Amino acid sequence: MKYIEIKNQSAAMEFTLAGLTSSAELQTLLFWIFAFIYATALSGNFLLIFTICSSRKLHTPMYFLLINLSLVNVFSISVTTPKLLQTLWTHTKTISFYGCIIQVFLFIWALGTELFILSFMAFDRYAAICHPLQYTVIMKKEVCVGTISGVWIIGMLHSAMQAGLMLKLSFCNSNLVNHYFCDIPPVLKLSCSDTSLNEMMSYVGDVIFGICSCGLTLTSYCLILRAIFRIRSTEGKKKAFSTCSSHLIVISFYFSTVIYTYIRPSSGYSLDKDKFVSLLYSVVTPVVNPLIYSLRNKEVKEALKTITGRVRLLRRPQV
């Protein structure tokens, strides 16, 4: 195990990622599975972004937010999966100290940003259903761009604080990270320094992000449900609920796994269990999101049909 001096403290120069399995046969199988998942996630999210950008009908606040969700999905899965694929294919599980800290920084940035984007999407549905006449004023371009910019910046500042605090720690015991990527809980377990400040700031950040995002989301949907129940016609209720059903599925899946992993005392962590739960929000969610928002969305499906129709016309031989 190599060491490097950082601010007069001894720190591991590189870490070893435990990965998902030690079986060589399983690693080969998992490589092809995750390679397919990664390719599907990239193609699905980029196709959704291209579809929205290509269709004027989809140039609305809701789809602007959906573009940002797809971008953060690509960002999130690209932070963890390429390194996972490398370890599965080459069986080389080492990662440099600074590479590990950068991975923590990028992943926490993506995680926090996605939480707030999902919350703002819930607020968008609230504005559309509960205040349809004022919707264009509430969700005007300046508000959407300003809020989303703030979300990305807040997510970056939070992750920079967490990564900066980790740089002050020393790692002089084991260098085996019990995970398939560098995340805060498994890396803190390896430190021989006092990690109480890191744990406190991590917990405070997680609770603030969790309470703010969950609070905004739950409040928005409580008001949405109240508005839907006031609609007299069955057809009107179905139409109103269909506009937010896709988002409900996504936030239920994403929030439950993130809250389980991060918003609990460090004594409750089970790293072996957590690394498999983290697959749900770091790998599965970026694949599922574009499928849910395209297959369950009539406007997106119509835009996709228009694009495929144009492609077919271009492929026809010119007479």
Side-chain angles (χ1 to χ4, degrees):
M1 181 173 172
K2 301 176 183 178
Y3 297 94
I4 186 173
E5 282 292 319
I6 298 176
K7 293 185 179 181
N8 299 321
Q9 291 185 346
S10 177
M13 196 173 183
E14 63 180 25
F15 291 111
T16 301
L17 298 170
L20 296 173
T21 180
S22 57
S23 168
E25 294 79 10
L26 273 178
Q27 285 181 17
T28 304
L29 175 63
L30 287 174
F31 171 82
W32 291 111
I33 291 173
F34 283 107
F36 174 76
I37 290 173
Y38 186 48
T40 303
L42 293 184
S43 57
N45 281 286
F46 281 127
L47 178 60
L48 188 57
I49 292 170
F50 177 75
T51 302
I52 294 170
C53 292
S54 301
S55 177
R56 285 190 173 274
K57 289 182 179 180
L58 302 183
H59 291 180
T60 63
M62 183 179 79
Y63 292 105
F64 170 71
L65 299 179
L66 190 51
I67 285 175
N68 278 273
L69 181 64
S70 290
L71 287 173
V72 81
N73 282 161
V74 170
F75 180 24
S76 175
I77 197 170
S78 296
V79 171
T80 59
T81 307
K83 182 61 182 177
L84 174 61
L85 292 175
Q86 182 198 3
T87 58
L88 290 172
W89 185 253
T90 64
H91 308 297
T92 303
K93 297 184 177 183
T94 56
I95 183 171
S96 69
F97 173 79
Y98 290 110
C100 187
I101 298 299
I102 289 170
Q103 195 174 49
V104 169
F105 166 72
L106 293 176
F107 185 72
I108 297 301
W109 183 8
L111 196 69
T113 302
E114 185 164 2
L115 284 172
F116 276 124
I117 288 175
L118 289 170
S119 298
F120 194 41
M121 290 176 75
F123 177 78
D124 170 77
R125 292 300 82 208
Y126 156 74
I129 294 171
C130 299
H131 302 283
L133 299 178
Q134 293 83 34
Y135 178 72
T136 54
V137 177
I138 296 171
M139 297 297 293
K140 59 185 178 180
K141 183 179 178 181
E142 294 80 6
V143 172
C144 291
V145 173
T147 304
I148 286 298
S149 299
V151 163
W152 282 93
I153 291 169
I154 290 170
M156 180 185 68
L157 292 175
H158 171 248
S159 65
M161 179 192 69
Q162 300 294 348
L165 286 172
M166 293 186 74
L167 283 171
K168 295 182 178 181
L169 299 176
S170 59
F171 301 85
C172 48
N173 295 322
S174 171
N175 70 334
L176 180 64
V177 179
N178 190 10
H179 215 303
Y180 64 92
F181 70 94
C182 287
D183 197 6
I184 291 177
V187 174
L188 288 184
K189 289 283 185 181
L190 304 181
S191 178
C192 51
S193 304
D194 180 12
T195 61
S196 56
L197 177 61
N198 299 74
E199 291 176 0
M200 182 186 72
M201 294 306 296
S202 177
Y203 187 72
V204 168
D206 294 339
V207 168
I208 290 173
F209 270 65
I211 288 176
C212 287
S213 55
C214 279
L216 178 58
T217 303
L218 289 173
T219 302
S220 297
Y221 274 106
C222 284
L223 295 172
I224 287 170
L225 289 173
R226 188 178 70 176
I228 290 175
F229 287 135
R230 286 178 178 176
I231 299 173
R232 293 183 179 181
S233 67
T234 306
E235 189 63 30
K237 288 182 179 180
K238 286 181 179 179
K239 186 177 180 181
F241 189 74
S242 66
T243 62
C244 55
S245 59
S246 299
H247 188 245
L248 267 173
I249 294 170
V250 171
I251 62 170
S252 300
F253 184 75
Y254 191 77
F255 274 73
S256 59
T257 53
V258 170
I259 289 171
Y260 169 81
T261 303
Y262 292 98
I263 307 180
R264 58 196 167 113
S266 58
S267 59
Y269 286 123
S270 171
L271 296 179
D272 288 320
K273 187 186 295 183
D274 287 357
K275 64 181 176 183
F276 291 104
V277 173
S278 66
L279 285 171
L280 297 176
Y281 59 82
S282 65
V283 177
V284 177
T285 299
V287 180
V288 172
N289 281 357
L291 292 174
I292 291 174
Y293 283 110
S294 57
L295 295 178
R296 294 181 60 85
N297 190 303
K298 186 179 178 180
E299 292 175 328
V300 174
K301 285 192 285 188
E302 288 177 354
L304 280 169
K305 286 178 182 178
T306 303
I307 291 172
T308 53
R310 289 174 186 172
V311 172
R312 287 173 184 172
L313 284 174
L314 290 172
R315 285 183 176 179
R316 285 182 181 178
Q318 298 296 323
V319 180

